[in-house]
Structure formats: C-alpha cells, structure tokens
Amino acid sequence: MSGRRSYSPMQWARRICQGVFLCLFLYLVMLARWNSDEPSPLLALFFDFDPLVAVATWLSTHTLAAGSLLSLITIGVTLLLGRVFCGWVCPLGTVHHLMTWLGHRGRRPRAREARSPWQRLKYLLVAGLLVMALFGAHWVGVVDPLSLFYRSMTAFGVPAAHYMVEDSATSVYRADPKVGDWHVTSVTEPVYEFFRDRVFVTKRQGFQGSSLIAALFVLILALNLVRPRFWCRYVCPLGGGLGLLSQRPALRLENNADLCNNCGLCARNCPAAAQPDQPGQWLKTECFACWNCVATCKQGALHFALASPIKKPVAGNMDFSRRAAMGAVAGGVVALTGFRQTPLAQGKIFEPSLIRPPGALPEREFLQRCIQCGMCMRACPTNALQPCALEAGVEGVWTPRIVPKIGYCMYECNLCGQVCPTGAIAPLSLEEKKTVKMGLAVFDKNRCLPHSYGRNCIICEEHCPLPKKAIFFVEQEVTLPSGEK
C-alpha cells in the first residue's frame, strides 16, 4: 500500500454490521410494547447470546434457560476470532464507537497510547462478579453492557424520545405557526402521526429513579471524550470475559517490522490501545478486530491473518497476576457479605412496598436470576412495574416491583413472565397467573367513605377483577358521630 487508504472494505463491513445490530437491538426494545398480546420469542435474543449472563445465571442457580445455549456460539466465535463481538456486534459498543468518533472529530490527532494497567480492571471486575454469582448474588446485570443499555433505553431513552416528539408536536399544533397561507402543522402532524401510530404505539411510560439511570448512562458515554471506548477498554465485564477467552485466536494481527516506519498512526486510531504499532506486542485480549489499524497504515505493514489456534501467538499479554486475581475474588466475597448484612436481606424485616410481579420466584431465587434488564417493565401495559431503589436492598437494585399508585396489574395480562430472559419471573399461563396472590389489599377506615361518613360507595368492589369478588359490601346499621343511626 503506497498511500493512506480513504476507505477499507473491512472497515465498512464492520460499520454495516454495527449499524444492523444496533438497529436490531433498538427494534427489539420497541417490539416489547408493540406485540402486547403475543410477545415475540426474539425479545431476549441479545441476552441469549450473552455468555456473561449465561455463566453467572448457571453459577447462581445451577440451571440454565434453553435460549442461553446460544451463548455457546458467542464463546466459539471468540475462541476462534477474538473479541469480534465487542467490535462488530455489541450495540452499546457501537454507541461508544459513535461517541468516540463525534467527540474527537475535528480535534487534533490523538497521541499514541500505550497500554494502561487500568485495563486490567475489567478482568478483575468479571472475576469478582462471577465469585458473587457462585454464592448466589447475581449482580452481573447492573454492569453487563446489554442489560445496562436495555435498562437505560427502557427507563429513560424511549420515554424521553416519546416526550420530545409528543410535546414538541403539541406545542406546534397549539401555536399553529404559518408562513403566508402555509401551516407548519401540515408537516409536523404527519410526522407526529407516524411516530404515534408506528413507533411509540402505546402511552408514554415513566419510571421512578430514571434520572439516576440516565445520569449513569450519560456519564459512561461522556467518558469516551477522555479515552476512546473508555467503558469497553477499562470497565466492561463482558469484554473482560471475552478477552480471557481470546488467548489463542485464529485471527491475528501481524506487523511487518521491515515495512513499519514507527509513525504511530495505527496506535492513534486503535480504540482499544491494543499496541498494533509494536511488533510482537499486539494485545490479543484487547483487540476488537475493528481493522482501523490496517486501514490507516500508509506502509502496508499491518494485516490480519489466520493461524492455527494450537500455535501460540507472538503477542503481548496484560499483566494479570495471581495476586490481582485473588484480590478480585476477595472483593467479590466482601461485596457479597456486605449485601447480606442488612435486616431485609436476612429476613428480619418485611418491606411492604416490595411487591414483586406475579410469577416472581421466591425472593432469594428471584435475585439469583434477575439481571435488571428492565424488559418486564418495558412490556408492562400499565407502567405498574418500576425499578427498585433500595426497597430490596443493594442486591436488588433496579429489579422490578409493582407500584400500585402508578399502575395496576392487569387481570388479563401475563407479559412480564413471558418476556423475562432468565426465568426470574416464571412464564405462567394466563389461568395460572390469575390465581397468584401478590399481596393483600387493605383499606384505611378513616378514609373509607362508608366507614367514615356513612355514604354509599362501592368503587373498590366494582374495580375488583375477580369473578368471585375479593372485596364486597354488606349493609349494617351503624351509629354516626352525630348519633344518627
């Protein structure tokens, strides 16, 4: 290659794959609300391919959902080709890639970056999380990239987009601005109707704690301004797990030292700090196989080639010492111990506001399976399911609970169990779901009209959906505070 290439077929192939998988992920987020009667079996597709979710669920429950066997495909591809899932498939990785490109566009070229010891953090994190899962604390969903992205879109992204479209269209409609005889609403109304009927379909959702979820999501995106793909490089536990599997990939980067003039252009364009500029020191566990380094090399010194996985690659290694591994294990045990010290976790108190959805497994088993993805909340037609704050303790943060003041559990709905990707909410049939007791309704006699004021009121009986009413009224003679019978 005599000059710098303006494009690379492999780069464009990777960008197309990233765009397709990102659009598919967002489509599945929206699909959870479109087919409310018959949920699509594809809703959990990305979670089924997530090996971190599969391994953590297996460690915590010693069982595995059938769909999670698809994660073996991800594991096999990683063993063969390295971390291509991070570079070509992961939807959150694609968003980080876009943020990196937007944040550094038009700025001075980045300085050449060497590997940082902080890149080991993701390996320590995945080790600590798996140790916690082994002892029954399934906290992987808090930081798993697919769960994090789905939860952020459910709690903030989609509702925010719905709000902007709905309220901006309403504002234009009320103002009815005109340019001569032409009304602006002739453009905005068809656009609004398209989004209302084809994209959002149902009423806008709102979630408690969405500000915190949004703030954390914006923060990890903003970190791309500090380092390209900061989350993927330093924190992502799924990337760390896939990196540990990429010890002897068949797809390997080769640097021809005779052609390389050590300009550092490939290192500046590497989003993973995988050291493509250093012959024999390429970090196979860090590389996303994005092809940026190959495409930007003016000398043609770099190329990817296939080699036998049996043959040990000539490459560098991240310093992952035995002491660091033991520290990660100890950190996981300490975190687990801290989670279990609260009175709620030990079963000494009961939190009355913690109402789990119908079909939820017993609390301990539920927490061993739930990955805090928010899919059940997204599918709930009444917006009754809300993310927990600390109602279930730190271990149960962002797991679903029913908040009756926001929405009610529909008698003819069992969607939450049908869409749950890990079985934390059992997929009950509609008839089974109707017999489940989630709690007991109580009423305050001081506020009840018949009790306090002697007035007729049967609203709660009318709204009770059971064929044989659980709430019913009887006529009794009572003495009012005035002495009247």
Side-chain angles (χ1 to χ4, degrees):
M1 184 162 44
S2 58
R4 181 176 179 178
R5 298 170 64 175
S6 58
Y7 72 94
S8 163
M10 291 302 295
Q11 270 187 312
W12 280 109
R14 185 253 303 163
R15 290 166 183 165
I16 291 171
C17 280
Q18 286 180 300
V20 168
F21 284 114
L22 176 60
C23 290
L24 177 60
F25 183 89
L26 296 177
Y27 168 75
L28 294 178
V29 172
M30 303 304 296
L31 187 63
R33 295 277 286 181
W34 289 347
N35 295 337
S36 56
D37 296 331
E38 190 75 24
S40 171
L42 296 177
L43 290 179
L45 183 65
F46 279 87
F47 298 107
D48 289 340
F49 277 94
D50 188 333
L52 181 60
V53 168
V55 172
T57 303
W58 179 75
L59 289 174
S60 62
T61 66
H62 308 296
T63 60
L64 199 62
S68 294
L69 294 176
L70 292 174
S71 63
L72 294 175
I73 296 176
T74 305
I75 292 174
V77 171
T78 302
L79 290 171
L80 185 64
L81 302 177
R83 288 178 60 182
V84 293
F85 182 90
C86 301
W88 292 62
V89 179
C90 179
L92 184 58
T94 299
V95 174
H96 286 309
H97 207 106
L98 287 171
M99 287 298 300
T100 297
W101 177 72
L102 291 172
H104 294 273
R105 188 182 183 188
R107 296 168 60 179
R108 289 187 310 173
R110 300 192 304 268
R112 185 187 308 192
E113 296 182 34
R115 67 179 175 181
S116 166
W118 288 103
Q119 289 177 247
R120 295 178 296 180
L121 178 62
K122 57 182 176 292
Y123 304 110
L124 302 176
L125 180 59
V126 71
L129 289 171
L130 292 180
V131 168
M132 292 172 63
L134 181 62
F135 290 97
H138 199 337
W139 224 52
V140 162
V142 173
V143 287
D144 177 81
L146 300 180
S147 292
L148 188 154
F149 194 20
Y150 200 105
R151 179 175 62 245
S152 300
M153 291 298 99
T154 294
F156 175 75
V158 176
H162 196 169
Y163 171 81
M164 288 189 290
V165 170
E166 199 171 72
D167 283 43
S168 59
T170 301
S171 299
V172 173
Y173 180 82
R174 289 176 176 173
D176 192 21
K178 294 183 291 184
V179 179
D181 294 332
W182 180 75
H183 292 255
V184 176
T185 52
S186 62
V187 174
T188 59
E189 283 303 291
V191 173
Y192 165 68
E193 290 171 4
F194 170 81
F195 277 95
R196 182 194 63 192
D197 300 334
R198 302 293 181 87
V199 179
F200 299 116
V201 180
T202 55
K203 291 183 179 179
R204 186 169 75 234
Q205 292 179 302
F207 294 95
Q208 295 178 335
S210 60
S211 297
L212 175 60
I213 294 174
L216 291 174
F217 185 67
V218 171
L219 174 62
I220 67 170
L221 293 185
L223 288 173
N224 290 290
L225 302 178
V226 179
R227 287 289 186 276
R229 294 191 68 162
F230 186 100
W231 173 269
C232 311
R233 191 187 294 193
Y234 298 106
V235 183
C236 181
L238 176 57
L242 296 178
L244 293 174
L245 296 175
S246 304
Q247 297 299 321
R248 295 194 176 190
L251 184 67
R252 300 175 182 181
L253 181 69
E254 296 184 358
N255 188 330
N256 189 329
D258 295 332
L259 296 177
C260 180
N261 64 356
N262 199 30
C263 66
L265 188 60
C266 56
R268 288 197 294 270
N269 284 276
C270 177
Q275 302 182 161
D277 59 322
Q278 301 181 31
Q281 294 300 313
W282 166 65
L283 297 178
K284 55 191 181 299
T285 59
E286 299 295 310
C287 180
F288 303 147
C290 67
W291 251 266
N292 280 0
C293 56
V294 176
T296 55
C297 180
K298 295 181 178 182
Q299 308 302 319
L302 294 172
H303 69 278
F304 279 96
L306 293 174
S308 172
I310 299 175
K311 182 180 178 181
K312 185 177 180 180
V314 180
N317 294 295
M318 287 300 298
D319 300 325
F320 193 69
S321 65
R322 189 176 304 172
R323 180 182 299 177
M326 294 302 297
V329 171
V333 173
V334 170
L336 173 66
T337 304
F339 288 172
R340 299 287 170 80
Q341 295 310 304
T342 63
L344 181 66
Q346 296 181 17
K348 294 182 178 180
I349 61 172
F350 171 73
E351 175 55 55
S353 66
L354 184 60
I355 305 174
R356 293 300 189 188
L361 300 180
E363 186 66 10
R364 177 54 53 203
E365 297 176 41
F366 177 81
L367 294 179
Q368 288 174 341
R369 285 186 175 274
C370 182
I371 57 172
Q372 297 101 326
C373 63
M375 190 178 295
C376 57
M377 305 178 209
R378 174 70 186 154
C380 181
T382 64
N383 206 192
L385 286 178
Q386 297 285 318
C388 282
L390 295 176
E391 293 84 2
V394 179
E395 190 174 350
V397 67
W398 294 328
T399 56
R401 69 183 181 110
I402 291 179
V403 182
K405 289 184 177 180
I406 296 177
Y408 61 94
C409 183
M410 286 182 63
Y411 190 60
E412 299 288 338
C413 173
N414 62 346
L415 285 175
C416 53
Q418 301 298 318
V419 303
C420 180
T422 60
I425 306 173
L428 302 177
S429 68
L430 198 54
E431 292 305 315
E432 290 176 311
K433 182 261 182 181
K434 291 179 179 178
T435 64
V436 173
K437 292 185 177 181
M438 296 176 290
L440 182 65
V442 297
F443 64 94
D444 185 348
K445 291 183 178 180
N446 295 323
R447 291 175 176 266
C448 181
L449 295 179
H451 278 275
S452 296
Y453 300 102
R455 293 169 52 187
N456 291 330
C457 176
I458 60 170
I459 291 177
C460 52
E461 179 184 0
E462 290 176 334
H463 281 78
C464 180
L466 299 177
K468 184 179 179 180
K469 299 290 187 179
I471 301 175
F472 56 92
F473 286 80
V474 295
E475 290 189 0
Q476 290 186 351
E477 185 178 60
V478 296
T479 303
L480 299 179
S482 62
E484 179 184 354
K485 295 289 185 179

